[in-house]
Amino acid sequence: MNPSDKAYQVKQLVEQVNQSLLPELVLTSADPLEPIHVAAYPKPWLLLGAGNYAAVLMHPDYPGYAVKVYADGKPGLEAEREVYRLLGDHPSYSTCYYADGPFLVLKQLMGTTIYDCFKQGILIPEQAVRDIEQAMHYARSVGLRPHDVHAKNIMLYQGRGLIVDVSDFLKQEPCRMWDDFKKAYYRFYYPIASRVLFPIPPFILESVRKGYQIYRRRRRKAKQLPPQVPQA
């Protein structure tokens, strides 16, 4: 496909978004710490996933493209557009073709999220972890600070690692999610999964996820407390 063909496809897809998707798409958010709820969307659109701020859909007539729609009142679209501008073309990230109003048109990344790999019993190879590490190093080299890199925001495709959500890469505060993931991967997951691979029940994954949220909040709160003054 030459650039002019791609530009035409993106233009046609944007028209489909404005004419058929947005008028019937209903997004709700009851908890800022939980994914938004996609209450309704028109056929033949397909729902690919939902995060805390936005939902991602695709139209079967436009394979290779994903449309990320931000819920009303949710911030981040302008920041995400800037992140993609800085990232440019990198094999571990998507590409942004269009950003305006409440949505972006992105290159659709194929694969399975690491979270779903856990559920399905798919082995996560060390190469995928190294790919994510290298992708984060690249992001830092162009002035970004990778943030919110966790099992639902990274994917496995043909044994390689991809980062699917970069919306928080402009945040300046430090984020230890990826470091914590790597520690758990090498200390617990890989030594077991490389010998005996089995699906992890969803209730266990959700318990771990919610437990980690509590741990992060407590750790953040502890850092904000003033230092203890020793008694004389």
Side-chain angles (χ1 to χ4, degrees):
M1 180 185 299
N2 61 50
S4 61
D5 291 337
K6 182 175 293 185
Y8 177 77
Q9 281 200 334
V10 171
K11 180 181 179 181
Q12 293 295 107
L13 177 56
V14 168
E15 291 181 2
Q16 285 287 337
V17 174
N18 286 315
Q19 293 174 7
S20 71
L21 177 61
L22 294 184
E24 298 186 44
L25 180 65
V26 180
L27 305 178
T28 60
S29 176
D31 185 341
L33 296 178
E34 296 294 333
I36 62 172
H37 175 61
V38 183
Y41 60 93
K43 294 181 179 181
W45 288 88
L46 303 173
L47 179 65
L48 300 180
N52 290 354
Y53 294 163
V56 181
L57 303 98
M58 71 161 293
H59 195 290
D61 290 344
Y62 299 89
Y65 297 96
V67 177
K68 184 171 184 178
V69 185
Y70 275 76
D72 288 343
K74 295 293 186 180
L77 186 144
E78 293 299 329
E80 186 166 359
R81 175 168 60 181
E82 176 63 10
V83 169
Y84 278 117
R85 186 189 70 80
L86 291 170
L87 288 174
D89 187 17
H90 188 279
S92 291
Y93 295 103
S94 180
T95 302
C96 182
Y97 300 121
Y98 176 92
D100 195 17
F103 70 94
L104 304 95
V105 175
L106 306 172
K107 178 179 72 175
Q108 182 185 359
L109 296 179
M110 308 302 293
T112 305
T113 67
I114 299 302
Y115 186 86
D116 285 337
C117 287
F118 289 147
K119 288 198 300 184
Q120 298 172 27
I122 299 172
L123 179 66
I124 303 160
E126 289 185 277
Q127 179 61 56
V129 176
R130 290 193 292 267
D131 288 339
I132 301 300
E133 189 74 15
Q134 292 168 1
M136 294 175 68
H137 176 75
Y138 168 76
R140 295 187 189 99
S141 74
V142 297
L144 298 168
R145 297 193 68 171
H147 196 95
D148 210 25
V149 179
H150 55 74
K152 288 189 174 183
N153 285 344
I154 52 182
M155 294 177 68
L156 179 68
Y157 179 64
Q158 297 183 344
R160 307 306 296 259
L162 307 171
I163 299 179
V164 299
D165 190 350
V166 300
S167 56
D168 290 331
F169 275 31
L170 286 180
K171 288 186 175 180
Q172 293 303 304
E173 65 266 23
C175 179
R176 289 190 51 84
M177 279 190 177
W178 175 246
D179 291 334
D180 291 339
F181 176 90
K182 282 194 304 180
K183 286 181 181 178
Y185 175 89
Y186 284 112
R187 185 176 299 176
F188 302 111
Y189 173 81
Y190 194 74
I192 298 173
S194 60
R195 293 178 297 173
V196 181
L197 189 62
F198 54 88
I200 302 176
F203 79 91
I204 293 180
L205 290 173
E206 282 301 297
S207 297
V208 171
R209 185 179 71 87
K210 291 183 181 297
Y212 182 67
Q213 287 180 344
I214 295 172
Y215 165 72
R216 287 183 63 220
R217 287 197 293 267
R218 289 179 176 175
R219 184 169 63 184
R220 189 182 303 115
K221 185 177 180 180
K223 288 183 178 181
Q224 294 172 349
L225 292 176
Q228 294 288 335
V229 178
Q231 299 294 323

